[in-house]
Amino acid sequence: MLVTEREHWPDGPPHELFKRLRHECPVHWTSKITEFPESAGFWSVTTADDVHAVSRDWQTYSSERGGITAVTAIFPLELMRAMFIGMDPPKHDRIKALFQAGFTPKRIAAHEDEIRRIVVDVLGRLDGRETCDLVTDVAQPAVARVIGSFMGIPKEDDAVWAELMNSTLGASDPDLNPGGIEGAIEKTVPEIFERCGKMIAARRESPTDDLTSVLVHAEVEGQKLEEHEIVMGFFLLMAAGNDSTKATYCSGMRALIEHPDQRKLLLDDPSLIPSAVEESLRMFPAFAHFRRTATRDTELNGQEIKEGDKVVMWYASSNRDETRYEDADRFDARRNPEHQAFGAGGRHFCLGTALARLELKMLFEETLARYPGMELDGRPKFTESAFLNQLKTLPVRLNG
């Protein structure tokens, strides 16, 4: 069974296929990736317990050795390893600590008023309209401005950076990246380096209090980061900030529109919104998978994994594991579940969890308050990707 074949992913993750794997072969070997014949096969890890085990054992399952996605066609391994998400301890821990100070719950809470102003401003642009696309008209501009404000990006550059992030991470989708993988490598990635290089030069000359400046002036064991490490650290934060909240908000809103009983619960009792946020994260994790590479021969749930094998953790599957969740495919705003949308513990647990939760809470609150009768106005479309688990269009009628 070739899990990543495009035919399985026309409407997002193939949940029936993953359900079958969880029951019949929870650690499953896929021999090839047809679109990328030079890429080796991989192991699919589909249950919550096994994803948790892989996540916590960085000595056996490395992020650094082979990259962090099933396919590594866009960024060379050297650049992947320049992001702390593509490192192993101890270097991972030292670099991640640089970022951690910018994402503490206390610091995120200090931005609460500003983030709400951003959400209110974006929704205010819809005044007088009957329809919109929640992806492009609400989610994208809101998340771009939030992460842009943290990184020190001028507001007028938000759309440019959003397009760069979308075309790089969504490189396999012809709508997000008409130039294909080659176009991303030849045009988009160099433009990211060029634009980021200018910001780095400006921060070297005139330090500020944004996270780009933190990267530029940070020292690890007395050494400043190299330019490519700064660029890739910048890229990682921008990519996470651009895609995570956008993906979960849009799929969560779609679920609420399609399940009016669940939406009514939130309209009648807005204190349930944080619970609905967690349920949205469980059912619609922004990234369908991350990957590790085995550093030694090992065994996982009865399967013999060889040193050098790719091991892919499918959060889109583990978050619907029937052994963890009753009626796992049903959206239940009152469930308030634990989940693996931010990873499954271990060193690589997402440092932006507090920011993502706050953004999602505000987006749900403000959208529902303004448009309690929102309806679909056409067929939503998923990004064509086995990595990004997100809608690229969500047309809605604002007032039902």
Side-chain angles (χ1 to χ4, degrees), residues 104-176:
T104 61
K106 185 176 180 181
R107 180 156 183 171
I108 299 303
H111 287 265
E112 186 165 343
D113 290 343
E114 181 184 1
I115 293 171
R116 191 174 295 276
R117 276 196 298 272
I118 290 168
V119 172
V120 169
D121 174 66
V122 168
L123 288 168
R125 299 174 204 169
L126 302 178
D127 287 352
R129 293 179 56 173
E130 293 183 2
T131 63
C132 80
D133 191 303
L134 276 191
V135 178
T136 55
D137 292 327
V138 177
Q140 184 65 80
V143 302
R145 179 75 312 251
V146 171
I147 194 61
S149 68
F150 274 78
M151 302 306 297
I153 292 172
K155 189 174 183 178
E156 58 270 20
D157 290 346
D158 284 352
V160 173
W161 276 108
E163 186 175 344
L164 289 171
M165 293 298 111
N166 291 335
S167 62
T168 305
L169 291 176
S172 61
D173 187 290
D175 294 325
L176 297 180

Side-chain angles (χ1 to χ4, degrees), residues 37 47-48 60 84 108 114 176 179 191 211-212 234 237 239 254 258 269 278 313 327 336 345 347 360:
T47 68
T60 304
F84 64 82
I108 299 303
E114 181 184 1
L176 297 180
E191 185 174 346
L211 287 176
T212 302
F234 178 94
L237 292 181
R254 178 187 183 180
E258 292 180 337
D269 182 3
E278 299 307 314
M313 300 176 289
D327 202 0
N336 199 26
R347 297 301 225 284
L360 287 167

